[in-house]
């Protein structure tokens, strides 16, 4: 694979894999996000069950305990993921008593089982919670019980079930659960290393989860994560993070954080609905939540939380998936790059013996929003300056982004450009087109007299990143200052015709308005003529549960008299025709959609750089290229190319026109869909052009591994020959030989070069020679046997 660095440049991309590390390995590959049903566990091996645990060790899944609807279980089942076969695990010693709602974790070569509920559920006798700890050694099959003493004083967590357990830093951590009378939220830890066998209660601080049970935990990035669970009236769908390392770094108690992004405006899916009996596992930078009972339903959506972007999403399964039905009290574990889910309770309280496999994707994260945001922060290569407010506060930006996101701003930029051109023509000192490529070109100026500078800065942040965090400079998202600021943002969103931002602001303000700030919000909405926000505030005030408290407050005495009268009248005679509320689902366009339209047409008039590919000019935008590619960023920072023209190559190879347009789609809006032949051309492009990570390269690799078929093998062969990718060329020739009767009838083969046709003939000859040799050896063997 041809890979080269741009001359005189060094990169530090912090890639998880370098370009050289990603190799093309051909063979059977699994489609990402595909659910597959594995062989079901036969009844003679082990009963269907729920409330059990599963753990992963090497290439096997181990299932322990649970209940089959009639009895508690304590058998240990083993599922071999390579052979896809079930069996009973070899065991010796004394296993734990039958139980369910226990916990199981793996440390080194052992499985540890703690607590749970035991007894005879059929006869309703001897039912009790436990706090015992058992170890199962995978290498010997030996069960043994651990006993704990702290000097002469026995100190242990109270017996419990439906708790959470994790292993970190050689220690077992137990959190919350149910003790038979109440839900808990205490935490205990126990060292699995050395001879010390004593429990230690962990003092907790921060935003601790409520008392809860029937919840999962997952460990990632030196933290334990807890999502939802049964908490009585306090049940939430919050995600909590427990920081293991803080205790050792600061000598303070371990702390909890509730991960909340409610104050950040972005068009992201909400968290999963509150639930219990679900599973959560960690893989790569994601947490995956499946199943559980959510408000009397059993959903089977797979939810994903990105630890980097702090965003929830719903994973769409591949079209050929066998998606498991909704269930609760199932169990999940991760082996390699796949999640395995076993058992659980499905509809009508039926226990399941099914095993399902889900194929993860481990693509590097999309950095489109982050890259554009960094360009805004750096203020490099700005070509427009907004003069905001009466004092004309100067805020620099980039034409390529503001023109892409707002028709209103695009017209303003166009008018400023026309004025600038007229000025230059009148002075006859400079030629506009000659100046446009030089670094000392004066910035275009756009005046926004009615805008508030701080609010416009937030709108700019949204333009570049599709998100706003209004609390960045203030900790209280419900303060009067933040609410008033967001009303100014809302007004600008309406003025700029940015429908999606407008609706995000409405959602934020509706959630932020409360008893403390509603009167301030009402007064401001009236002054700014924001009729919908004003109507919302009036409705909030006149509600039965709010009216007396608000009207009797001191703040009510300070509002304008017309508003005071309107509140009183509204209370007596409710409005007959309320204003139409905006749609709850987000209309408008995303950053990706706007940048796609900008690349494909709306941005043509704002192009300021020409990319030459095989003598073919391709107009583009410097700011976008510099934001996404360190190659262009360094070039434009050091010198401006002559005539604003850059010759395009990837190392020593010139890509096809089709593949380069694929590359531009990735640069502008993060698109990774492409035919396999484009993947071959672009495999080394991320390294050469200096992208933030190798996300594009990972997609190229997977595309080639999964999608090279006899229908497109001719295109792959041509691309491989052109860039001298010999491993890919050999693979393509092998495919041609094995499907020659089909490939020979493809129209594309008639346009192949003479050299490639000779290569195909030689590959056919080699294959025929090998086949004839095998036949000769078989004939010789038969003749020898007959003598």
């Amino acid at each position: 694979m041809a890979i080269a660095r741009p001359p005189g440049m060094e990169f530090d991309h912090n890639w998880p894999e370098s370009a050289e590390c990603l190799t093309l390995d051909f063979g059977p590959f699994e489609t990402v996000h595909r659910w597959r049903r594995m062989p079901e566990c036969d009844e003679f091996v082990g009963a269907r069950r729920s409330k059990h645990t599963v753990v992963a060790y090497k290439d096997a899944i181990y299932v322990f305990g649970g209940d089959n609807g009639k009895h508690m279980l304590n058998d240990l089942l083993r599922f071999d993921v390579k052979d896809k076969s079930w069996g009973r695990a070899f065991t010796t010693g004394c296993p734990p008593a039958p139980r369910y709602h226990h916990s199981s974790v793996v440390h080194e070569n052992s499985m540890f089982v703690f607590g749970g509920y035991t007894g005879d559920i059929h006869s309703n006798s001897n039912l009790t919670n436990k706090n015992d700890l058992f170890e199962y050694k995978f290498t010997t099959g030996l069960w043994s019980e651990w006993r704990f003493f702290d000097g002469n004083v026995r100190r242990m967590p109270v017996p419990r079930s439906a708790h959470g357990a994790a292993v970190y830093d050689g220690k077992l951590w137990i959190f919350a659960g149910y003790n038979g009378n109440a839900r808990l939220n205490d935490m205990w830890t126990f060292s699995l290393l050395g001879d010390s066998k004593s429990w230690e209660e962990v003092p907790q601080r921060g935003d601790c989860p409520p008392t809860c049970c029937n919840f999962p935990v997952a460990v990632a990035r030196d933290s334990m994560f807890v999502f939802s669970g049964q908490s009585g009236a306090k049940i939430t769908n919050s995600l909590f993070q427990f920081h293991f390392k803080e205790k050792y770094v600061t000598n303070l108690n371990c702390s909890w954080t509730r991960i909340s992004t409610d104050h950040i405006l972005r068009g992201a899916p909400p968290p999963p609905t509150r639930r219990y009996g679900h599973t959560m596992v960690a893989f790569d930078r994601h947490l995956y939540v499946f199943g559980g009972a959510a408000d009397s339903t059993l959903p089977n959506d797979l939810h994903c939380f990105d630890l980097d972007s702090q965003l929830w999403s719903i994973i769409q399964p591949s079209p050929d998936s066998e998606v498991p039905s909704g269930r609760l009290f199932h169990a999940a574990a991760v082996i390699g790059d796949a999640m395995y889910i076993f058992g659980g309770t499905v509809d009508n309280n039926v226990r399941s013996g099914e095993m399902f496999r889900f194929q993860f994707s481990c693509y590097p994260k999309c950095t489109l929003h982050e890259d554009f945001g960094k360009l805004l922060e750096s203020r490099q290569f700005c070509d427009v300056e907004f003069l905001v407010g009466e004092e004309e506060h100067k805020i620099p930006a980039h034409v390529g982004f503001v023109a892409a996101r707002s028709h209103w701003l695009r017209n303003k930029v166009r008018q400023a450009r026309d004025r600038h051109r007229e000025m230059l023509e009148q002075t006859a000192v400079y030629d506009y087109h000659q100046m446009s490529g030089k670094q000392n070109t004066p910035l275009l100026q756009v005046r926004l007299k009615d805008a508030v500078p701080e609010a416009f800065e937030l709108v700019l942040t949204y333009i570049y990143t599709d998100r706003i965090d209004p609390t960045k400079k203030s900790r209280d998202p419900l303060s009067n200052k933040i609410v008033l600021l967001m009303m100014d943002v809302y007004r600008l969103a309406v003025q700029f015709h940015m429908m999606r931002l407008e609706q995000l602001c409405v959602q934020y303000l509706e959630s932020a308005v409360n008893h403390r700030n509603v009167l301030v919000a009402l007064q401001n909405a009236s002054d700014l003529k924001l009729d919908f926000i004003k109507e919302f505030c009036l409705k909030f005030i006149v509600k039965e549960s709010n009216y007396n408290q608000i009207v009797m407050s001191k703040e009510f005495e300070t509002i304008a008299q017309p508003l005071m009268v309107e509140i009183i009248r509204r209370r007596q005679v409710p409005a007959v025709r309320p204003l139409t509320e905006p749609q709850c689902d987000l209309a408008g366009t995303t950053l990706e959609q706007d940048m796609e339209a900008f690349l494909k047409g709306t941005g043509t008039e704002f192009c300021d750089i020409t990319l030459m590919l095989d003598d073919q000019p391709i107009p583009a935008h410097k700011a976008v290229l510099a934001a996404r590619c360190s190659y262009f960023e360094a070039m434009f920072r050091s010198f401006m190319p002559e005539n604003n023209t850059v010759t395009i190559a990837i190392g020593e190879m010139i890509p096809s026109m089709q593949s380069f347009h694929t590359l531009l789609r990735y640069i502008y809006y993060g698109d990774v869909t492409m035919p396999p032949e484009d993947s071959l051309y672009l495999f080394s492009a991320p390294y050469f052009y200096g992208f933030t990570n190798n996300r594009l390269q990972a997609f190229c690799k997977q595309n080639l591994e999964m999608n090279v078929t006899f229908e497109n093998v001719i295109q792959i062969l041509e691309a491989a020959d052109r860039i001298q990718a010999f491993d890919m060329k050999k693979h393509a020739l092998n495919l041609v030989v094995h499907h020659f009767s089909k490939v020979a009838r493809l129209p594309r083969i008639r346009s192949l070069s003479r050299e490639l046709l000779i290569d195909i003939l030689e590959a056919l000859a080699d294959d025929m020679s090998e086949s004839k040799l095998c036949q000769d050896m078989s004939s010789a063997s038969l003749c020898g046997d007959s003598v």
Side-chain angles (χ1 to χ4, degrees):
M1 196 65 67
I3 298 175
R5 294 178 184 270
M9 293 186 63
E10 295 185 3
F11 295 110
D12 179 16
H13 307 308
N14 295 315
W15 286 4
E17 299 177 278
S18 69
E20 294 90 344
C21 290
L22 281 177
T23 57
L24 299 175
D25 304 313
F26 300 103
F29 296 94
E30 184 61 83
T31 303
V32 298
H33 297 168
R34 181 187 183 193
W35 284 102
R36 287 176 57 198
R37 183 171 179 168
M38 299 284 99
E40 191 165 340
C41 184
D42 292 325
E43 290 290 340
F44 71 86
V45 175
R48 298 164 177 261
R49 67 193 66 204
S50 68
K51 306 171 189 173
H52 54 286
T53 57
V54 305
V55 297
Y57 178 72
K58 294 188 175 179
D59 292 322
I61 297 288
Y62 289 81
V63 179
F64 176 75
D67 84 85
N68 62 4
K70 296 180 179 179
H71 305 286
M72 295 187 186
L73 307 169
N74 69 340
D75 53 346
L76 183 62
L77 309 181
R78 183 181 185 274
F79 178 76
D80 190 300
V81 300
K82 288 187 175 180
D83 297 338
K84 300 181 178 63
S85 61
W86 283 96
R88 287 182 174 269
F90 172 73
T91 63
T92 63
C94 184
R99 64 190 62 206
Y100 65 66
H101 282 330
H102 52 284
S103 60
S104 298
V105 296
V106 171
H107 175 64
E108 295 182 344
N109 297 315
S110 297
M111 174 177 70
F112 292 88
V113 175
F114 175 81
Y117 194 56
T118 185
D120 187 346
I121 56 175
H122 184 65
S123 62
N124 196 30
S125 63
N126 301 319
L127 297 174
T128 182
N129 286 302
K130 303 289 285 184
N131 61 353
D132 48 4
L133 179 66
F134 285 81
E135 178 183 9
Y136 173 79
K137 292 186 180 294
F138 293 108
T139 53
T140 63
L142 176 64
W143 279 109
S144 59
E145 183 177 2
W146 287 42
R147 303 201 178 267
F148 314 99
F149 293 95
D150 184 7
N152 295 322
V153 180
R154 188 177 176 90
R155 180 169 169 78
M156 293 183 64
V158 298
R160 67 192 65 204
S161 57
H163 53 280
V167 169
Y168 178 79
D169 194 28
K171 294 183 176 182
L172 172 65
W173 302 73
I174 300 295
F175 175 69
Y178 183 69
N179 68 1
N181 296 310
R183 300 182 182 97
L184 312 168
N185 68 345
D186 56 339
M187 181 177 288
W188 294 76
T189 187
F190 176 83
S191 178
L192 301 174
L193 304 172
D195 298 327
S196 175
K197 293 187 177 181
S198 61
W199 285 95
E200 175 188 354
E201 187 170 6
V202 180
Q204 303 171 77
R205 64 186 183 90
D207 200 345
C208 186
T211 54
C212 56
C213 61
N214 287 318
F215 60 91
V217 300
V219 175
R221 299 186 176 182
D222 301 313
S223 296
M224 178 174 70
F225 294 88
V226 170
F227 175 76
S228 201
Q230 285 180 294
S231 304
K234 298 179 181 178
I235 185 170
T236 71
N237 64 340
S238 296
L239 179 65
F240 292 89
Q241 179 179 7
F242 178 75
H243 306 268
F244 286 118
K245 271 198 167 180
E246 189 168 343
K247 179 178 181 181
Y248 307 108
V249 174
T250 63
N251 292 320
L252 295 173
N253 297 339
C254 297
S255 68
W256 285 96
T257 302
R258 186 173 74 91
I259 299 177
S260 173
T261 54
D262 297 340
H263 59 284
I264 299 178
L265 277 71
R266 52 187 172 185
T273 54
R274 61 185 187 178
R275 60 191 63 205
Y276 66 90
H278 50 296
T279 56
M280 180 169 66
V281 299
F283 176 76
D284 194 33
R285 66 178 188 277
H286 298 117
L287 304 176
Y288 293 87
V289 172
F290 178 78
D295 294 329
S296 301
T297 65
L298 296 178
N300 67 341
D301 295 330
L302 181 62
H303 295 264
C304 175
F305 182 76
D306 190 316
L307 293 170
D308 286 336
S309 66
Q310 304 279 282
L311 284 174
W312 284 101
S313 62
I314 297 178
I315 301 296
Q316 296 301 323
S318 66
D320 57 346
S321 285
E322 301 169 282
V323 182
S325 60
R327 59 197 62 214
L328 76 159
F329 300 140
H330 51 291
V334 175
I335 291 184
D337 56 358
M339 172 177 66
Y340 291 82
I341 285 178
F342 175 71
T345 301
V346 293
D347 288 339
N348 299 319
N349 208 27
V350 175
R351 268 61 173 177
S352 168
E354 300 167 312
M355 173 76 86
F356 288 89
R357 180 188 191 275
F358 178 78
Q359 178 65 43
F360 291 125
S361 63
C362 50
Y363 303 123
K365 67 179 180 179
C366 178
T367 61
L368 184 78
H369 300 206
E370 181 181 322
D371 292 340
F372 290 164
K374 288 180 179 177
L375 180 71
L376 175 64
E377 289 179 5
S378 71
R379 306 291 181 176
Q380 285 194 100
F381 317 119
C382 291
D383 48 9
V384 63
E385 187 175 63
F386 291 92
L387 306 178
V388 183
E390 293 294 337
E391 298 181 1
E392 296 194 340
H393 183 76
K394 294 181 178 180
I395 302 177
H398 304 86
V399 168
F401 291 97
V402 295
R405 302 303 312 271
S406 166
H407 295 288
W408 192 90
L409 289 175
R410 187 185 309 160
N411 289 331
K412 285 290 185 179
V413 169
R414 190 182 289 123
Q415 293 167 9
R417 185 185 59 186
D418 292 343
R419 288 195 303 270
H420 188 64
R421 184 183 289 117
E422 291 173 3
M423 179 191 71
L424 293 176
E425 289 174 352
Q426 289 174 2
T427 57
V429 175
Y430 300 109
D431 179 78
Y432 176 78
H433 294 287
Q434 290 179 350
M435 269 197 73
S436 61
K438 298 187 181 298
Q439 292 181 328
N440 60 350
T441 304
L443 300 180
L444 300 179
Q445 291 190 330
V446 176
R447 286 177 170 79
L448 301 173
K449 288 187 177 181
D450 296 333
V452 176
E454 190 175 0
F456 182 72
E457 289 271 18
L458 287 179
V459 173
L460 266 188
T461 300
Y462 179 82
I463 283 174
Y464 284 74
T465 66
D466 240 11
R467 58 176 278 173
I468 295 176
D469 183 356
T471 65
K472 202 168 185 179
K473 297 179 181 179
S474 173
R475 292 190 175 183
D476 183 5
L478 304 181
S479 67
N480 291 348
K481 180 181 178 182
I482 296 297
V483 171
L484 295 179
L485 175 62
M486 289 310 303
M487 294 177 75
D488 284 320
V489 172
Y490 172 76
R491 183 171 60 87
L492 290 178
V494 173
Q495 181 181 351
F496 297 164
H497 305 299
M498 299 176 69
M499 187 182 301
R500 194 161 177 269
L501 177 58
E502 177 184 339
Q503 293 179 49
L504 286 171
C505 290
V506 168
Q507 291 179 8
Y508 180 89
L509 290 169
E510 286 181 349
S511 64
V513 167
N514 58 26
H515 295 82
R516 290 186 293 127
N517 57 35
V518 64
L519 293 174
V520 175
L522 174 65
Q523 184 69 63
N524 199 53
S526 178
D527 295 342
L528 298 176
K529 295 181 172 57
L530 303 180
D531 294 334
F532 177 78
I533 301 298
K534 177 183 176 182
E535 182 68 21
F536 175 81
C537 292
L538 286 171
K539 286 182 180 179
F540 183 90
I541 293 170
V542 299
K543 278 185 181 179
E544 186 71 33
S545 56
N546 301 332
Y547 183 74
N548 287 339
Q549 181 180 349
I550 294 173
V551 170
M552 297 302 293
S553 67
K554 291 185 178 180
E555 289 78 11
F556 184 75
E557 301 172 6
T558 62
I559 66 171
Q561 185 177 4
L563 287 177
M564 190 179 298
V565 172
E566 191 169 357
I567 291 172
I568 296 172
R569 287 176 176 171
R570 177 66 63 90
R571 173 67 175 173
Q572 299 299 321
V573 183
V576 179
R577 290 185 178 181
L579 294 178
T580 303
E581 296 186 12
Q583 298 295 322
C584 57
D585 56 331
L586 287 176
T589 51
T590 64
L591 173 65
E592 288 82 357
Q593 291 169 333
D594 287 336
M595 295 306 294
E596 178 180 3
F598 199 65
L599 174 64
K600 293 181 177 179
T602 59
T604 303
E605 64 178 299
F606 300 104
C607 290
D608 52 5
I609 194 77
T610 300
L611 308 176
M612 295 297 297
L613 179 66
D614 233 359
D615 297 326
Q616 294 293 319
I618 302 173
H621 305 85
K622 286 185 292 189
V624 178
L625 296 177
R628 296 281 278 157
C629 311
S630 58
Y631 174 82
F632 287 110
E633 189 271 335
M635 176 187 291
F636 299 153
R637 182 162 34 85
S638 302
F639 65 94
M640 194 53 60
E642 186 176 354
N643 298 323
N644 277 347
T645 301
V646 179
T647 301
I648 291 299
I650 300 176
E652 299 175 356
M653 179 270 298
I654 298 176
S656 67
M657 182 64 72
Q658 174 184 284
S659 63
F660 187 70
H661 280 292
T662 297
L663 180 63
L664 283 181
R665 292 198 302 273
Y666 178 78
I667 290 173
Y668 273 71
Y669 55 96
D671 183 39
V672 291
T673 57
M674 68 191 86
E677 58 269 26
D678 287 7
S679 299
L680 197 53
Y681 284 115
L682 301 180
F683 187 74
S684 57
Y687 184 71
F688 182 83
Y689 283 110
F691 294 162
T692 303
N693 60 22
N694 63 345
R695 177 178 171 84
L696 176 62
Q697 191 179 45
F699 274 96
C700 289
K701 176 180 184 290
Q702 199 255 348
N703 195 16
L704 286 168
E705 291 170 345
M706 296 291 295
N707 299 315
V708 179
T709 65
F710 75 88
E711 289 97 341
N712 58 34
V713 70
I714 296 299
Q715 294 94 311
I716 296 295
L717 179 61
E718 289 179 312
D721 181 69
R722 183 176 180 182
I723 69 172
Q724 297 183 331
F726 299 114
D727 54 348
M728 193 69 216
K729 182 177 179 180
K730 181 179 178 181
H731 178 70
L733 286 171
N734 288 336
L735 203 60
V736 169
V737 168
H738 289 99
H739 298 275
F740 186 71
S741 60
K742 297 177 181 178
V743 175
R745 291 177 172 81
L746 295 174
R748 184 96 180 206
I749 201 169
R750 297 178 180 276
S751 62
L752 271 181
S753 67
R754 178 176 179 273
E755 291 76 12
L756 284 178
L757 286 172
I758 292 174
D759 287 338
I760 291 175
L761 290 174
E762 289 179 349
L764 283 168
D766 291 341
D767 184 69
M768 292 174 67
S769 297
E770 291 177 5
S771 300
K772 188 174 186 305
L773 178 61
C774 292
Q775 291 175 3
D776 290 345
M777 292 179 67
S778 298
S779 299
S781 176
L782 289 171
C783 291
D785 292 341
S786 63
V787 174

